[in-house]
Amino acid sequence: MNHRKLQIFVGMWMVCMAMMAQGKWKYDFIVPDNGNFVQAIHAANNRTNKQKRYRIFIRPSYYRIKGEGNMISTVENGKKVEFPSPMTTLTAPNTSIIGDSWPTTQIENCPQHEGISITSTLYLHGADSTYIQDVEFWSNYRNDPKAFANRAVALNEQNCKGNILKQVSLLSTQDTYYTNDGGTTYLEDCKISGTVDFICGGGTIYFNHCDLWLIPRGDTGSRDVITAPATEVGRKYGYVFADCYIDGGKEQDGRFQLGRPWKNSPKCVWLNCSMNVVPAKEGWTEMHGTIPSQFAEYNSTDGHFSLLDLSGRKTTFKNANGQDEQVDYKPFLTDEETEDYTVDKVFPGWKPQDKARQVDPPILHAKGKVITWEDIPEAGCYAICRDRKIIAFTTQPSYTIGSTYEGACYSVRCANWYGGLGPRSAEVVYPFR
């Protein structure tokens, strides 16, 4: 075994041992069994031991939430307006928010006033080590899907470190995902939809195998812009998109922009990304006289997997004085330079891709009314499914059917240490032989 393989093996072994050491557990709060979503977040915030992980499971449904309702204010047409907050805020660390799947577990708020700091469906404020999986967060500004020019945030992270989003969907228009000044977040297999700057802010944010969906802007004829990085000065990495996929309305094909520099020292790179709709030839655009620190691509392809021509990418931006300024980087990366953008290089010592790994399901055995399987050490608990719907949780490698359901199909899903549920096992059909 060579040195690199040995490192990988030891790392995976340490992760498994850490998970096994935690033992089995049950979800601390189930929505709606124990209360609504806002109450679940309050319970996480108010728990005594915040060093122990708190796991919330949300049963599949569409949830429209009002938020916390405390009075906040904004200025509209020169006048101060006060209104109940539509936001729900998580401040406690070590919290997991788990759904069944994002198409079936949707959480929506409906802000009546637009603004990047007053609209979040979920606001993570100093909530380090938050883990979210299989949920869609949707900010539906004034219930109006045509409110393209209004800022409405689905997820806002501020000063959070070590957050992981796995199979999460974020849906809004402008400023859908407002990231983490000073923080670090890893996203895997997520989907983010929007129109303008729908991923914006600071921090080091790694998007691994995520889908970016451009929402049409009606008859305005305006162009979509995916990112508005505001990377802090001195930070080595900003936004990193690896093996991601861009799609959306055909009216945006050849017209949208990958990003524009918001403030500070913006950094954004796209690596091995497939674009079913392609950006305008310049790729990037202006904003507020800020000069990007690095806007670059590697191996960008179109919907037919043909390499895009990057020779026309923008390298001159207007500075704060309105003067054209040439950037000191190339708009494309070399093979050697891409080696600095692996997850391990961006997040040394953290390995979020291992922490987000799903637990494979067991092989089921059934007789009479009892289903059994071999215990899986890395599984925190087991979800029992009937006809693909979760009906119970257990920490034991067995389940006894309480009522007879002729022809019902039973399967099991394993939860990883954070609470994220993996794929279903092969089904067994009642009555069992």
Side-chain angles (χ1 to χ4, degrees):
M1 182 180 293
N2 63 37
H3 181 67
R4 177 58 180 157
K5 288 183 178 179
L6 179 60
Q7 283 184 319
I8 294 173
F9 174 80
V10 171
M12 292 178 64
W13 180 83
M14 291 178 66
V15 170
C16 289
M17 292 300 102
M19 291 179 176
M20 290 169 62
Q22 300 296 320
K24 296 291 192 275
W25 47 261
K26 290 186 177 181
Y27 289 99
D28 299 283
F29 198 110
I30 297 178
V31 178
D33 301 20
N34 305 124
N36 62 36
F37 178 74
V38 176
Q39 291 170 332
I41 299 301
H42 283 176
N45 288 334
N46 296 328
R47 70 189 194 269
T48 302
N49 184 2
K50 295 183 175 63
Q51 299 306 308
K52 181 181 178 183
R53 180 150 295 273
Y54 191 88
R55 301 173 181 89
I56 299 168
F57 179 74
I58 307 168
R59 293 196 182 277
S61 188
Y62 163 73
Y63 301 90
R64 175 172 286 182
I65 60 174
K66 293 183 178 180
E68 292 157 345
N70 53 296
M71 297 304 293
I72 59 176
S73 65
T74 189
V75 176
E76 288 187 355
N77 300 320
K79 295 182 179 180
K80 183 178 179 180
V81 181
E82 292 189 347
F83 54 94
S85 172
M87 301 188 296
T88 301
T89 304
L90 175 66
T91 58
N94 302 313
T95 303
S96 296
I97 302 171
I98 309 299
D100 178 82
S101 69
W102 86 48
T104 63
T105 311
Q106 300 173 316
I107 298 173
E108 176 203 30
N109 76 344
C110 299
Q112 299 302 299
H113 303 274
E114 72 93 36
I116 194 169
S117 61
I118 58 174
T119 53
S120 308
T121 307
L122 179 63
Y123 177 26
L124 304 179
H125 187 193
D128 292 348
S129 193
T130 297
Y131 182 95
I132 307 176
Q133 181 176 322
D134 289 324
V135 185
E136 178 172 270
F137 291 101
W138 181 16
S139 185
N140 189 1
Y141 176 67
R142 289 183 176 172
N143 303 320
D144 182 4
K146 295 182 180 179
F148 305 113
N150 297 105
R151 298 168 297 170
V153 179
L155 177 63
N156 180 355
E157 293 177 299
Q158 184 177 356
N159 296 323
C160 301
K161 294 180 175 62
N163 289 358
I164 297 174
L165 277 62
K166 170 77 173 179
Q167 295 164 190
V168 172
S169 175
L170 304 176
L171 175 62
S172 187
T173 51
Q174 183 170 345
D175 299 349
T176 302
Y177 178 30
Y178 183 23
T179 69
N180 224 318
D181 283 352
T184 50
T185 300
Y186 172 79
L187 298 90
E188 183 175 287
D189 298 326
C190 294
K191 180 179 180 180
I192 306 173
S193 305
T195 55
V196 181
D197 306 338
F198 60 92
I199 301 170
C200 59
T204 297
I205 317 295
Y206 201 104
F207 301 83
N208 191 7
H209 203 264
C210 294
D211 290 350
L212 296 312
W213 188 266
L214 302 160
I215 295 176
R217 299 177 69 185
D219 298 327
T220 64
S222 300
R223 302 183 178 193
D224 284 358
V225 182
I226 297 178
T227 68
T231 315
E232 300 89 332
V233 175
R235 183 173 284 262
K236 185 175 182 179
Y237 299 102
Y239 290 165
V240 180
F241 293 87
D243 299 295
C244 292
Y245 178 75
I246 300 175
D247 205 350
K250 290 301 181 183
E251 64 272 26
Q252 294 293 339
D253 195 22
R255 303 185 68 249
F256 73 91
Q257 309 288 356
L258 295 173
R260 55 180 181 166
W262 180 9
K263 58 183 179 180
N264 301 329
S265 182
K267 295 181 179 179
C268 182
V269 298
W270 297 80
L271 310 170
N272 300 307
C273 293
S274 175
M275 306 176 184
N276 197 42
V277 290
V278 301
K281 64 179 182 179
E282 65 272 17
W284 312 89
T285 191
E286 308 270 356
M287 189 178 185
H288 300 331
T290 300
I291 305 299
S293 179
Q294 185 181 42
F295 280 176
E297 295 167 77
Y298 175 81
N299 198 32
S300 295
T301 61
D302 63 18
H304 301 287
F305 305 104
S306 297
L307 286 173
L308 296 183
D309 180 5
L310 305 183
S311 62
R313 291 301 194 242
K314 187 176 181 65
T315 58
T316 301
F317 294 80
K318 292 189 181 300
N319 60 27
N321 298 319
Q323 300 170 329
D324 287 340
E325 186 172 321
Q326 180 71 31
V327 297
D328 60 359
Y329 61 81
K330 293 181 180 179
F332 50 84
L333 301 174
T334 65
D335 292 349
E336 184 178 1
E337 287 171 332
T338 62
E339 295 177 2
D340 287 333
Y341 289 90
T342 64
V343 178
D344 290 341
K345 288 289 185 66
V346 175
F347 299 127
W350 183 26
K351 296 189 179 299
Q353 71 276 35
D354 291 343
K355 297 177 182 293
R357 184 173 289 115
Q358 306 296 280
V359 181
D360 291 334
I363 296 173
L364 304 186
H365 306 279
K367 187 175 182 180
K369 288 189 175 183
V370 180
I371 305 170
T372 61
W373 56 91
E374 185 176 343
D375 192 27
I376 299 176
E378 60 267 31
C381 76
Y382 304 102
I384 310 302
C385 304
R386 183 176 63 234
D387 296 333
R388 302 190 174 189
K389 296 181 179 179
I390 294 173
I391 59 170
F393 295 101
T394 180
T395 57
Q396 301 301 315
S398 65
Y399 179 75
T400 301
I401 298 173
S403 302
T404 57
Y405 291 88
E406 189 83 19
C409 299
Y410 289 85
S411 57
V412 171
R413 300 173 69 182
C414 299
N416 65 15
W417 182 77
Y418 285 92
L421 292 168
R424 286 184 295 270
S425 68
E427 295 177 325
V428 291
V429 182
Y430 187 83
F432 308 136
R433 305 301 180 189

